[in-house]
Amino acid sequence: MRQIENIWRGPESVSPRSSGTKALRTGSREQPLDIVIRRYRRILLGRLYQVRDAKTGAPSIDLHATGRHPDFQPDVDMDMVVSARAATADSPSRLRFRLAHVSADASNEDVARVTEGALSLAKAMVQSTCTRSELAETMAHLRAPARPRGPVLRSRRHWRRARKALAKAWGSALTSGYISVVLAGAAILGSIMMPNQAPDPRPTQLPHVPVGLVLAASTPDRPELSLDIPDRPLQGQKTKDCDPDASEQMIKGACWVETSKKAPCGDKQYEYKGKCYRAAGK
């Protein structure tokens, strides 16, 4: 993307027809790029943009006069300021024009000619950007306050280069094993910082202990457990169509088979009214 210039300030060269392209490219390296907000399409004058100044953030409308038959090409660097004041009770309406900057080597005839052409081209720019469909967006841009911005990448080419450099750096980090070293260090640090827990002096609980645990002491040093039949069926247990031929009984909404063992039934069977049962599978 080449440099966006203010229409009041021409390129660095004196003769735009002979060396305007080279001067524009040279100037783009010396001066910061303006921030392009939007480009107007189907404009016969050339490439017309909504831009913000790279340093001050001031909004403006800039034109690259690249039309097929441009009527005006400035060859003098100059800044112009035009102001209009509405009429009041004490004074009539006023229109003020002044030159803020003019090249020292420019003649009076050149300044007058560039001034007339620039004002005429500015009128055409206003007519092109302030149509019925573009008026609201154009005025919202021009009347917006200045918002200075920091340097940003404004070219897809720069974005591609940045992504490639980031991918290359990340790939080299993976191949060199940096992540493995970091993970190993984190594991070692975690094992050092984690407090050592003292062993629980209480006896380990037996597995498969549902609701209804009853402790029946048979010997002082070896107590025996007895598990009550739960109120809900166990996982995979038959809940209907109990088979009487297989000694299956419906107890608390599930099928159970009475065993020959007497209570306490231990941790493998369940107790119900002093008898031991096992769950009937589906």
Side-chain angles (χ1 to χ4, degrees):
M1 185 183 296
R2 291 187 291 180
Q3 183 183 13
I4 304 300
E5 299 175 340
N6 193 297
I7 60 172
W8 312 126
R9 293 175 292 179
E12 297 295 333
S13 62
V14 177
S15 178
R17 295 182 180 180
S18 61
S19 59
T21 304
K22 295 182 179 179
L24 180 62
R25 292 178 180 176
T26 303
S28 64
R29 297 190 186 98
E30 297 176 356
Q31 299 179 3
L33 294 174
D34 288 341
I35 303 172
V36 177
I37 305 300
R38 178 205 168 194
R39 177 180 176 180
Y40 292 93
R41 299 296 178 180
R42 297 183 295 274
I43 301 297
L44 301 179
L45 301 175
R47 296 196 300 270
L48 194 58
Y49 301 91
Q50 292 181 1
V51 301
R52 284 185 177 273
D53 188 86
K55 293 183 178 180
T56 64
S60 63
I61 296 179
D62 290 10
L63 172 68
H64 285 188
T66 56
R68 295 182 179 180
H69 302 287
D71 298 332
F72 171 70
Q73 289 288 348
D75 53 4
V76 173
D77 293 343
M78 54 187 300
D79 294 339
M80 298 182 294
V81 178
V82 179
S83 60
R85 296 293 182 269
T88 62
D90 300 330
S91 61
S93 59
R94 293 181 300 165
L95 183 67
R96 176 175 295 179
F97 168 81
R98 67 183 178 89
L99 298 177
H101 169 75
V102 180
S103 300
D105 56 349
S107 63
N108 295 335
E109 291 77 8
D110 292 338
V111 173
R113 175 178 51 82
V114 172
T115 300
E116 183 179 1
L119 292 177
S120 177
L121 189 58
K123 178 182 178 181
M125 291 171 59
V126 172
Q127 292 176 347
S128 301
T129 58
C130 293
T131 60
R132 179 177 300 179
S133 59
E134 298 284 356
L135 178 61
E137 187 173 354
T138 300
M139 287 297 125
H141 170 70
L142 291 177
R143 301 179 69 172
R147 294 195 299 268
R149 297 182 181 179
V152 294
L153 295 177
R154 303 178 185 91
S155 174
R156 294 182 179 179
R157 180 182 60 185
H158 297 308
W159 281 114
R160 287 195 296 268
R161 290 179 179 177
R163 287 197 299 266
K164 288 181 180 180
L166 183 60
K168 184 177 180 181
W170 181 250
S172 61
L174 290 177
T175 54
S176 59
Y178 289 159
I179 294 182
S180 300
V181 174
V182 172
L183 292 178
I188 296 174
L189 182 61
S191 62
I192 295 174
M193 298 181 63
M194 184 178 295
N196 296 327
Q197 295 182 356
D200 193 355
R202 295 176 297 178
T204 305
Q205 294 182 355
L206 295 176
H208 309 291
V209 181
V211 180
L213 177 61
V214 178
L215 181 62
S218 59
T219 59
D221 56 347
R222 187 187 180 109
E224 188 173 358
L225 299 179
S226 184
L227 307 177
D228 286 344
I229 288 182
D231 295 334
R232 295 182 180 180
L234 301 178
Q235 185 177 3
Q237 186 178 7
K238 185 188 295 186
T239 58
K240 60 182 179 178
D241 299 333
C242 299
D243 189 1
D245 297 336
S247 301
E248 294 179 358
Q249 303 179 29
M250 177 65 69
I251 301 175
K252 295 185 179 181
C255 297
W256 295 87
V257 178
E258 183 181 354
T259 64
S260 58
K261 188 175 182 180
K262 301 300 180 180
C265 304
D267 61 338
K268 302 298 183 181
Q269 299 182 18
Y270 295 83
E271 180 183 350
Y272 181 72
K273 294 184 178 180
K275 298 180 180 181
C276 297
Y277 294 84
R278 62 177 178 81
K282 293 182 179 179

